[in-house]
Amino acid sequence: MTDELNNPDIPIPDELKGQVTVTTLDKIYNWGRRSSIWPMMFGLACCAIEMIATAASRYDFSRFGMEIMRPSPRQSDVMIVSGTVTKKMVPQIVRLYNQMPEPKYVLAMGACASGGGPFKEGYSVVSGIDKFLPVDVYVPGCPPTPQALLHGLIKLQEKIDQQSIKSVDWYDKKAIEEIPIPVLGPDLIDPRDFMRIKGSSKATLKTDNEKSSEN
Ligand code: SF4
């Protein structure tokens, strides 16, 4: 057992040190989860090359329990959104996120995934994946270095350390709702915005009708 699991409030006699650990349920539960976060294997643009370098032998994020990347959302714990998020890709990204089992996390890697990057306001690009998914950690840079990505993953581990089995969403009796998959037509529409769009188009129609009756 590792020393980081020890509860400092409960002293262990010297002769038992290294053989006995007194810990809390939260600590051991989070230690297990934070030490086996498997990333989903997918990349979107240039940032993905840095992500691949982070997984390779020089930086090797297996040292942090990330192990191998999983090619299936059903075996993945963290989605690293590495690259430019185009409107065409958003429905697929959200669908994959919905297919990941809880607990799941999202890391926005680089300027594009965090806020649109150099393509912000471009006709084909969204201004950050956080418009659609709940992002846990942002890693700045264009592209971020492998060290920066490792730092982001360590921050994610620290976030997991703060969670408690008593309050996490996925043990709540209420089912966690899926994120509605955006619809790509002439532009990308988030189904959660339908009512707002409907309301504003009705208001525009009303004003147009009023103008034409005045004429
Ligand atoms: S942040 Fe920079 S390096 Fe990363 S995908 Fe965007 S343009 Fe490429």
Side-chain angles (χ1 to χ4, degrees), residues 45-47 82-84 109-113 117-119 141-144:
C46 8
C47 273
S82 55
T84 317
M109 180 182 181
C112 285
F119 312 107
C142 176

Side-chain angles (χ1 to χ4, degrees), residues 75-113:
Q75 299 164 352
S76 308
D77 305 294
V78 59
M79 174 185 261
I80 302 175
V81 184
S82 55
T84 317
V85 185
T86 60
K87 290 179 180 172
K88 201 170 181 180
M89 276 304 288
V90 169
Q92 282 67 253
I93 296 173
V94 174
R95 187 175 293 117
L96 287 170
Y97 176 81
N98 284 337
Q99 288 174 352
M100 289 168 67
E102 293 283 354
K104 55 188 170 187
Y105 303 93
V106 178
L107 184 147
M109 180 182 181
C112 285

Side-chain angles (χ1 to χ4, degrees), residues 17 38 40 78 81 93-94 107 109 136 140 142-143 146 156 159 165 180 194:
K17 276 190 180 151
W38 289 357
M40 185 149 64
V78 59
V81 184
I93 296 173
V94 174
L107 184 147
M109 180 182 181
D136 295 285
C142 176
L156 179 61
K159 184 169 183 176
I165 199 168
F194 275 159

Side-chain angles (χ1 to χ4, degrees), residues 135-150:
V135 173
D136 295 285
V137 178
Y138 296 85
V139 178
C142 176
T145 57
Q147 294 94 325
L149 178 57
L150 283 177

